[in-house]
């Protein structure tokens, strides 16, 4: 069984899709060199006509991708820092996302926004440590946060093939992980959750790098409780069916995700569960604090991130009710 | 030009009656720009337009019937009534949309040009229209750099009508437009935007150079809007331009100037043709149905549609 | 009793605060003319040195305000369109908001972002009709959405005086409203909800222009149910104490707000209520749909906005349980 | 220059050992710029800096002890350990922070200049440092326009070190920096950024002109970073600059050039002084305590603190 790293999986997805589909092209800073690892070798394989190093003009090249997409390309745009999405929020939320409805369906904008190294980078401080996927979900941009190499491969493939804009976040804390792969890699549909572990007492919904954390916690708690762990894989759209079935069955919910608490992804899951899924006891969220800005010093950085201990306590708390 | 003028005159009335909701940004006075530029555009060339987009869209060949129907919010409109004045588009004709955000179209045009070259459509050009106000918008300046850097076939058309809403250009812009554009490596020139033949000549040179692979061009067209920034301005009774200034520009009405160059009989014939077209458009738009409100989210996504309702 | 319009209230707040505090200054497009009505007469009163017409450079002038604030000013920045917040999201969320923590408290950024005409403008279509306050709440920028002229006055005053960045949304649908005022206008603390109507059966949390809608619905339902209507007034921070007391008492919650459903303000209220306030029955949200883009045609525009009918049905539904 | 160099050499070691987390963007090779410019700055002048900010911050007068403590994440650091390398600031000294976002500091400097004028501090200037890569960033170009339009006392210092990470300047920038800046009405010049006296002279002229109310200036400093873009680059073993090029620039080391101008005894004395300062800083930072993790959200708000925890 070959081992596949998370970065290699993203790289492979780009490589395969570029080979399969002439229209796929890549824009971003230092993408020819492959600075983030994800685009390594692609310029050599496909030429600098399709893998394009851009100047530091995020706004213009994001909308350039929009124009190219309308004109028939399938651009992938790489951003070196998650907070660069703030810089191009207008271009994504107000231009690319809206084009299809505003033109009455004349054209859509099949662009993939790729964000390697999202979330805390351990010591990169306030402006390099955000995890802003909830913002994209709020405005309605399809958004994936793959938790494993094979999901990274499959979701990126689907993102590129989707006729709408899709954002793909690759959390920093997963970039170094690997997975044994048996069988072929394949596309993973957007909006399909993955149940990583079945359980009967409580449903844990975990996102991105917190999926392995949740699995570890579930294993550690195995004697105490039967914990179901579900990864929604895309934070928008959400696979409400899979989540709903699980939560209705267990009646208990803990959601752990790495965005700010206020109006974050966790809020949406808890709210929908409360409205629709017949919770037996109040749900719990584990998240960053409201309005979090990640401090530089490592111990302060870590103090603000959701972790295994907090999750364990949250699970125990909902089981106690 | 006459088509645009009459189309807009009708729109002004309909904005007052409320048939057209949200008001419009009238293009009246600036017609020579869109018409002069479009004289050199082919169907597969791309344009991106602005909040003041009717002229650009019609000059590029959009059907006046469907353009008007769009403004009426009809399902027969260019955008099926979903876009209205500020988003009117006809992607099949290379019209990648008016745009409600100043400057936002410029990089989209650059992207279209990039794709054309990538796809081997070497002769194709993309035109980005924008106003003088947009010259202070970061994304436009970034777009200049990308187009010049990659030597893309883009014509940037700056319609300098002297104002960004109430802000006179000399209180919004340090330096002058041509010099600014040239600083990015664009081949830049200025032209009298009130004379359709002058615009056509300058644009012709620029478009030909773009098609010949000689990189992006910038054309500043000195022009003037005869009306307020937006129809709501008339209701508000605000005023920031002095009468003499307005009069000096209306005296240079591009339609009157062009009419003077035509044989009166020819001009009359054009007028009659346009009147018929407008009448046809009004009839078409007026008799077109709206959309079912249950379909309000149609077209939100082209792929999988995950949306839940609000209640 | 003099009558005060919503626009006049905002104008008065600026006028009073400029008179009281030399440091207050205004940046924005067409603010000297007072195009939106809010800054009318201020340039005449205080000069174009303090009321500054800017070119269309939202990103630069937003950060210019940041620099000026650090240097001791109290800038108010007006945006002509709510979606211009997308354009300056980097400057607000990643610069102004983070400055205090990142510098270890050396300085904060007392800027007010004023957004007149937020939400649908009835026929202004996709790019002019958003209501993006939940985005600011998510990143942690203090955000007010006043529902009445006196609250508009009082919240804007507090926003200007607050040492942190604060956004103030003035919904289009309120701009034409008026209120009879008796007594003096005064500052309204950020983070203090207002209970507009007391009730015992169900708590309705309503935001902005939906406050009068909720009050009307509550009155119309008076024979059926006793509806408490609370306006949080600031969507961040939220006055959890007032909301919590009410919801714990009624055990029933409907939240109506004009942002997109997914990860919106309603999600936060419903999630927190489910977690902490002892709901007797599942809560309900009334909002825009997920990922909404407002179409141009009026009937389509209206179809996507939360309204009285939806609220009535939601209230009846939670009462039925 | 020696202080910056030694400070950074120490940081490079500490980045390897992990005492400094997150790595740094070394300024080594570019010292002449910050030092030449700062020679003309007063305490109340304002600077905004970049991701590569140690040189700017130290040259403006920040205490090396507290600067190093910041990088160690100590509570005695400039930012109490909350900012680290990319956000080091000393607002009391007019240092409005390094910045993790390219170009973001430029409009902040313009704002400081605006405030200074508004408050009657007519003699004050603001300096915005940024790299060649930042010349393609919209907000920087918008900032040029605002400063020029309002004739504000801002000195824009572009450190053209030839690369934005791996992108050579001629593949990132159409036209040249001075011409681009001039297109916005800035008074623009270029200087040898490897010669501290040349920088000091050019900056002196520009700063004096700013103080005299003659509007914003732009100075392109041709320079070179001797190390990788960021310390992590060394680990990655990537390479995009050829050895001969690197060698031709290290041969022009600004420290060596300046040393050659000094009497050897004087130079040795400076070196000894600096060594003592660095030793002191290392001792200070090394013995400084960290912060209690329960205080991780301290300083998030200056006013009312509404924050709820994450669990
Ligand atoms: C980025 C942005 N800022 C502000 C606005 C509001 N606005 C719409 S048109 C306009 C003035 C535009 O001036 P100009 O570019 O000269 O075009 P003109 O209206 O003169 O045709 C403004 C400020 C906007 N739509 N987009
Ligand atoms: C807006 C933005 N885009 C991208 C990055 C990632 N990044 C950090 S430094 C850098 C290159 C900057 O080049 P330049 O301005 O020339 O400064 P230098 O590093 O050469 O000093 C890039 C792309 C960033 N921090 N901010
Ligand atoms: Mg104009
Ligand atoms: Mg550089």
């Amino acid at each position: 069984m070959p081992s596949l790293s998370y970065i290699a999986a993203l790289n492979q997805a780009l490589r395969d899709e570029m080979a399969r589909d002439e229209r796929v092209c890549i824009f971003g800073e230092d993408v020819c060199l492959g600075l983030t690892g994800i685009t390594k070798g692609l310029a050599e394989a496909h030429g600098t006509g399709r893998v394009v190093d851009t100047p530091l003009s995020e706004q213009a090249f994001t909308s350039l991708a929009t124009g190219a997409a309308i004109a028939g390309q399938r651009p992938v745009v790489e951003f070196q820092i998650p907070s660069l999405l703030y810089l191009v929020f207008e271009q994504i939320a107000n231009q690319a996302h809206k084009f299809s409805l505003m033109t009455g369906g004349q054209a859509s904008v099949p662009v993939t926004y790729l964000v390697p190294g999202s979330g805390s980078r351990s010591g990169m401080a306030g402006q390099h440590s955000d995890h802003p996927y909830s913002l994209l979900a709020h405005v309605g941009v399809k958004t994936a946060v793959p938790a494993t190499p094979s999901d990274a491969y499959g979701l990126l493939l689907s993102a590129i093939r989707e006729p709408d804009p899709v954002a793909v976040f690759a959390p920093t804390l997963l970039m170094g992980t690997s997975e044994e792969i048996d069988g072929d890699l394949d596309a993973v549909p957007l909006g399909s959750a993955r149940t990583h572990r079945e359980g009967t007492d409580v449903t844990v919904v975990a996102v991105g790098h917190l999926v392995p954390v949740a699995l570890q916690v579930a294993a550690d708690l195995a004697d105490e409780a039967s914990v179901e762990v579900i990864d929604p894989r895309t934070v928008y759209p959400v696979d409400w069916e899979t989540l709903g079935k699980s939560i209705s069955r267990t009646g208990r919910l803990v959601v752990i995700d790495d965005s700010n608490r206020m109006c974050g992804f966790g809020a949406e899951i808890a709210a929908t569960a409360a409205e629709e899924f017949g919770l037996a006891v109040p749900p719990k969220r584990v998240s960053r604090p409201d309005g979090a800005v990640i401090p530089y010093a490592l111990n302060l950085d870590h103090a603000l991130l959701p972790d295994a201990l907090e999750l364990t306590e949250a699970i125990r708390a909902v089981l106690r009710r | 030009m006459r088509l645009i003028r009459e189309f807009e005159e009708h729109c002004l009335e309909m904005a007052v009656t409320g048939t057209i909701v949200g008001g419009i940004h009238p293009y009246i006075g600036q017609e020579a720009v869109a018409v002069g530029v479009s004289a050199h555009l082919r169907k597969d060339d791309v344009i991106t337009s602005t909040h003041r987009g009717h002229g650009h869209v019609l000059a590029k060949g959009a059907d006046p019937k469907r353009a008007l129907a769009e403004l009426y919010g009809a399902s027969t409109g260019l955008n099926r009534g979903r876009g209205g004045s500020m988003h009117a588009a006809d992607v099949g004709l290379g019209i990648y949309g008016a745009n409600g955000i100043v400057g936002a179209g410029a990089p989209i045009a650059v992207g279209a040009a990039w794709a054309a070259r990538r796809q081997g459509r070497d002769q194709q050009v993309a035109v980005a229209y924008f106003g003088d106000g947009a010259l202070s918008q970061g994304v436009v300046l970034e777009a200049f750099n990308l187009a010049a850097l990659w030597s893309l076939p883009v014509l940037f058309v700056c319609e300098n009508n002297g104002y960004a809403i109430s802000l006179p250009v000399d209180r919004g812009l340090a330096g002058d437009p041509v010099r600014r554009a040239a600083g990015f490596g664009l081949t830049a020139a200025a032209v009298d935007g009130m004379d359709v033949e002058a615009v056509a000549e300058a644009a012709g040179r620029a478009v030909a150079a773009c098609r010949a692979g000689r990189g992006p061009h910038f054309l500043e067209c000195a022009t003037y809007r005869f009306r307020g920034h937006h129809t709501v301005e008339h209701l508000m009774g605000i005023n920031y331009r002095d009468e003499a200034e307005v009069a000096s520009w209306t005296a240079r009405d591009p339609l009157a100037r062009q009419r003077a160059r035509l044989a009166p009989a020819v001009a009359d014939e054009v007028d009659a043709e346009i009147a018929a077209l407008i009448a046809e458009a009004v009839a078409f738009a007026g008799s077109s149905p709206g959309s079912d409100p249950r379909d309000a989210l149609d077209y939100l996504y082209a792929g999988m549609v995950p949306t839940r309702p609000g209640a």
Side-chain angles (χ1 to χ4, degrees), chain B residues 152-278:
Chain B
L152 294 169
V154 182
L155 173 58
F156 295 102
V157 177
C158 176
E159 299 187 83
N160 183 351
N161 61 7
Y163 293 85
I165 309 188
S166 72
L167 191 72
V169 62
D170 61 351
R171 290 211 295 121
L173 197 80
D176 90 299
V178 166
R179 185 146 175 255
R180 179 172 294 189
F184 287 84
L186 302 176
T187 307
V191 69
D192 177 0
M194 302 302 275
D195 179 348
V196 71
E197 300 206 341
V199 173
E201 200 199 302
R205 268 196 305 272
V207 167
C210 284
R211 292 201 206 283
R214 292 208 297 279
H217 284 61
F218 174 92
L219 195 60
E220 179 196 359
C221 304
T223 182
Y224 205 75
R225 55 172 162 74
F226 291 174
R227 307 299 175 118
H229 169 73
H230 180 270
T231 43
V232 76
E233 232 178 77
H234 301 284
L235 302 175
M236 295 169 63
I238 52 180
N239 204 8
Y240 42 82
R241 306 190 300 189
D242 81 37
E243 271 178 41
E245 179 186 294
V246 177
S248 79
W249 283 92
T250 49
R252 300 175 54 205
D253 187 336
L255 272 72
R257 283 166 86 177
Q258 195 58 15
R259 189 173 236 288
R261 290 178 181 137
L262 299 178
V266 174
D268 290 344
E269 202 176 306
V270 171
D271 288 354
E273 255 175 55
I274 299 297
L277 277 177
I278 296 291

Side-chain angles (χ1 to χ4, degrees), chain B residues 26-268:
Chain B
Y27 193 65
I28 293 174
Q30 305 185 194
E31 295 91 341
V33 180
V35 171
V37 170
S38 299
H40 302 282
L41 300 183
R42 304 184 321 206
K43 186 179 161 196
D44 68 342
D45 292 329
V46 167
I47 67 164
T48 59
S49 169
T50 67
H51 55 288
R52 199 177 303 290
H54 301 173
H56 311 139
V57 169
L58 290 172
K60 185 64 171 57
D63 178 352
K65 291 198 301 297
R66 296 188 55 220
L68 190 62
E70 183 59 28
L71 300 184
Y72 279 44
S75 61
T76 56
L78 288 173
N79 303 25
R80 297 191 167 93
R82 268 68 180 176
S85 173
M86 272 194 288
H87 308 298
D90 191 332
V91 173
L93 293 174
I95 303 167
Y96 283 15
N99 207 309
I101 302 301
V102 169
I108 296 176
V110 176
W114 186 90
R117 188 159 74 188
R118 171 90 210 124
Q119 294 163 15
R121 292 180 274 107
D122 274 346
Q123 287 293 308
Q124 192 179 317
V125 303
V127 175
Y129 291 101
F130 47 81
D132 46 290
L135 288 171
S136 302
Q137 189 64 225
V139 77
V140 172
L141 304 166
E142 290 185 355
F144 287 175
N145 186 51
L146 290 183
L149 194 63
W150 298 337
S151 199
L152 294 169
V154 182
L155 173 58
F156 295 102
V157 177
C158 176
E159 299 187 83
N160 183 351
N161 61 7
Y163 293 85
I165 309 188
S166 72
L167 191 72
V169 62
D170 61 351
R171 290 211 295 121
L173 197 80
D176 90 299
V178 166
R179 185 146 175 255
R180 179 172 294 189
F184 287 84
L186 302 176
T187 307
V191 69
D192 177 0
M194 302 302 275
D195 179 348
V196 71
E197 300 206 341
V199 173
E201 200 199 302
R205 268 196 305 272
V207 167
C210 284
R211 292 201 206 283
R214 292 208 297 279
H217 284 61
F218 174 92
L219 195 60
E220 179 196 359
C221 304
T223 182
Y224 205 75
R225 55 172 162 74
F226 291 174
R227 307 299 175 118
H229 169 73
H230 180 270
T231 43
V232 76
E233 232 178 77
H234 301 284
L235 302 175
M236 295 169 63
I238 52 180
N239 204 8
Y240 42 82
R241 306 190 300 189
D242 81 37
E243 271 178 41
E245 179 186 294
V246 177
S248 79
W249 283 92
T250 49
R252 300 175 54 205
D253 187 336
L255 272 72
R257 283 166 86 177
Q258 195 58 15
R259 189 173 236 288
R261 290 178 181 137
L262 299 178
V266 174
D268 290 344

